[in-house]
PDB file of all heavy atoms in Angstrom:
ATOM      1  N   THR T1402      81.595 160.102  43.855  1.00 95.00           N
ATOM      2  CA  THR T1402      81.842 158.991  44.755  1.00 95.00           C
ATOM      3  C   THR T1402      80.648 158.139  44.942  1.00 95.00           C
ATOM      4  O   THR T1402      80.633 156.903  44.918  1.00 95.00           O
ATOM      5  CB  THR T1402      82.335 159.471  46.113  1.00 95.00           C
ATOM      6  OG1 THR T1402      83.596 160.199  45.929  1.00 95.00           O
ATOM      7  CG2 THR T1402      82.692 158.311  47.114  1.00 95.00           C
ATOM      8  N   LEU T1403      79.480 158.810  45.092  1.00 96.00           N
ATOM      9  CA  LEU T1403      78.231 158.128  45.270  1.00 96.00           C
ATOM     10  C   LEU T1403      77.869 157.325  44.057  1.00 96.00           C
ATOM     11  O   LEU T1403      77.506 156.140  44.112  1.00 96.00           O
ATOM     12  CB  LEU T1403      77.103 159.261  45.481  1.00 96.00           C
ATOM     13  CG  LEU T1403      75.717 158.698  45.845  1.00 96.00           C
ATOM     14  CD1 LEU T1403      75.687 157.925  47.089  1.00 96.00           C
ATOM     15  CD2 LEU T1403      74.844 159.869  45.921  1.00 96.00           C
ATOM     16  N   LEU T1404      78.095 157.889  42.882  1.00 98.00           N
ATOM     17  CA  LEU T1404      77.823 157.178  41.585  1.00 98.00           C
ATOM     18  C   LEU T1404      78.782 155.962  41.382  1.00 98.00           C
ATOM     19  O   LEU T1404      78.351 154.891  40.915  1.00 98.00           O
ATOM     20  CB  LEU T1404      77.843 158.138  40.390  1.00 98.00           C
ATOM     21  CG  LEU T1404      76.596 158.966  40.325  1.00 98.00           C
ATOM     22  CD1 LEU T1404      76.860 160.119  39.329  1.00 98.00           C
ATOM     23  CD2 LEU T1404      75.361 158.233  39.928  1.00 98.00           C
ATOM     24  N   ASP T1405      80.019 156.204  41.691  1.00 97.00           N
ATOM     25  CA  ASP T1405      81.011 155.097  41.511  1.00 97.00           C
ATOM     26  C   ASP T1405      80.677 153.903  42.482  1.00 97.00           C
ATOM     27  O   ASP T1405      80.691 152.757  42.076  1.00 97.00           O
ATOM     28  CB  ASP T1405      82.351 155.673  41.755  1.00 97.00           C
ATOM     29  CG  ASP T1405      83.505 154.651  41.551  1.00 97.00           C
ATOM     30  OD1 ASP T1405      83.292 153.712  40.740  1.00 97.00           O
ATOM     31  OD2 ASP T1405      84.561 154.778  42.123  1.00 97.00           O
ATOM     32  N   HIS T1406      80.274 154.257  43.714  1.00 96.00           N
ATOM     33  CA  HIS T1406      80.028 153.235  44.701  1.00 96.00           C
ATOM     34  C   HIS T1406      78.768 152.461  44.338  1.00 96.00           C
ATOM     35  O   HIS T1406      78.751 151.217  44.336  1.00 96.00           O
ATOM     36  CB  HIS T1406      80.025 153.792  46.083  1.00 96.00           C
ATOM     37  CG  HIS T1406      80.066 152.805  47.109  1.00 96.00           C
ATOM     38  ND1 HIS T1406      81.243 152.025  47.264  1.00 96.00           N
ATOM     39  CD2 HIS T1406      79.189 152.266  47.968  1.00 96.00           C
ATOM     40  CE1 HIS T1406      81.067 151.075  48.335  1.00 96.00           C
ATOM     41  NE2 HIS T1406      79.813 151.323  48.762  1.00 96.00           N
ATOM     42  N   VAL T1407      77.740 153.141  43.984  1.00 97.00           N
ATOM     43  CA  VAL T1407      76.453 152.443  43.605  1.00 97.00           C
ATOM     44  C   VAL T1407      76.685 151.626  42.333  1.00 97.00           C
ATOM     45  O   VAL T1407      76.068 150.563  42.206  1.00 97.00           O
ATOM     46  CB  VAL T1407      75.276 153.374  43.569  1.00 97.00           C
ATOM     47  CG1 VAL T1407      75.250 154.102  42.190  1.00 97.00           C
ATOM     48  CG2 VAL T1407      73.967 152.610  43.713  1.00 97.00           C
ATOM     49  N   GLY T1408      77.620 152.043  41.500  1.00 97.00           N
ATOM     50  CA  GLY T1408      77.933 151.247  40.281  1.00 97.00           C
ATOM     51  C   GLY T1408      78.599 149.936  40.695  1.00 97.00           C
ATOM     52  O   GLY T1408      78.333 148.886  40.128  1.00 97.00           O
ATOM     53  N   GLY T1409      79.540 150.003  41.631  1.00 95.00           N
ATOM     54  CA  GLY T1409      80.103 148.719  42.121  1.00 95.00           C
ATOM     55  C   GLY T1409      79.034 147.773  42.714  1.00 95.00           C
ATOM     56  O   GLY T1409      79.104 146.567  42.499  1.00 95.00           O
ATOM     57  N   LEU T1410      78.107 148.325  43.435  1.00 96.00           N
ATOM     58  CA  LEU T1410      77.059 147.475  44.002  1.00 96.00           C
ATOM     59  C   LEU T1410      76.245 146.813  42.866  1.00 96.00           C
ATOM     60  O   LEU T1410      75.900 145.669  42.973  1.00 96.00           O
ATOM     61  CB  LEU T1410      76.102 148.295  44.887  1.00 96.00           C
ATOM     62  CG  LEU T1410      76.612 148.899  46.207  1.00 96.00           C
ATOM     63  CD1 LEU T1410      75.510 149.693  46.881  1.00 96.00           C
ATOM     64  CD2 LEU T1410      77.134 147.777  47.079  1.00 96.00           C
ATOM     65  N   ALA T1411      75.969 147.562  41.764  1.00 96.00           N
ATOM     66  CA  ALA T1411      75.298 147.045  40.661  1.00 96.00           C
ATOM     67  C   ALA T1411      75.982 145.905  39.991  1.00 96.00           C
ATOM     68  O   ALA T1411      75.403 144.960  39.549  1.00 96.00           O
ATOM     69  CB  ALA T1411      74.924 148.150  39.663  1.00 96.00           C
ATOM     70  N   VAL T1412      77.343 145.968  39.962  1.00 96.00           N
ATOM     71  CA  VAL T1412      78.064 144.903  39.375  1.00 96.00           C
ATOM     72  C   VAL T1412      77.942 143.656  40.317  1.00 96.00           C
ATOM     73  O   VAL T1412      77.703 142.491  39.780  1.00 96.00           O
ATOM     74  CB  VAL T1412      79.654 145.243  39.345  1.00 96.00           C
ATOM     75  CG1 VAL T1412      80.447 144.055  38.913  1.00 96.00           C
ATOM     76  CG2 VAL T1412      79.845 146.383  38.341  1.00 96.00           C
ATOM     77  N   TRP T1413      78.044 143.770  41.651  1.00 93.00           N
ATOM     78  CA  TRP T1413      77.862 142.608  42.523  1.00 93.00           C
ATOM     79  C   TRP T1413      76.497 142.013  42.373  1.00 93.00           C
ATOM     80  O   TRP T1413      76.367 140.832  42.355  1.00 93.00           O
ATOM     81  CB  TRP T1413      78.167 143.060  43.949  1.00 93.00           C
ATOM     82  CG  TRP T1413      79.601 143.318  44.222  1.00 93.00           C
ATOM     83  CD1 TRP T1413      80.690 142.719  43.694  1.00 93.00           C
ATOM     84  CD2 TRP T1413      80.083 144.362  45.110  1.00 93.00           C
ATOM     85  NE1 TRP T1413      81.813 143.281  44.142  1.00 93.00           N
ATOM     86  CE2 TRP T1413      81.489 144.259  45.025  1.00 93.00           C
ATOM     87  CE3 TRP T1413      79.523 145.293  45.891  1.00 93.00           C
ATOM     88  CZ2 TRP T1413      82.334 145.185  45.699  1.00 93.00           C
ATOM     89  CZ3 TRP T1413      80.296 146.145  46.619  1.00 93.00           C
ATOM     90  CH2 TRP T1413      81.738 146.113  46.564  1.00 93.00           C
ATOM     91  N   VAL T1414      75.549 142.869  42.175  1.00 94.00           N
ATOM     92  CA  VAL T1414      74.153 142.304  41.972  1.00 94.00           C
ATOM     93  C   VAL T1414      74.037 141.576  40.694  1.00 94.00           C
ATOM     94  O   VAL T1414      73.487 140.435  40.606  1.00 94.00           O
ATOM     95  CB  VAL T1414      73.088 143.526  41.981  1.00 94.00           C
ATOM     96  CG1 VAL T1414      71.774 142.984  41.544  1.00 94.00           C
ATOM     97  CG2 VAL T1414      72.931 144.022  43.391  1.00 94.00           C
TER      98      VAL T1414
END
Side-chain angles (χ1 to χ4, degrees):
T1402 301
L1403 186 64
L1404 286 166
D1405 186 27
H1406 196 67
V1407 79
L1410 293 179
V1412 173
W1413 291 323
V1414 169

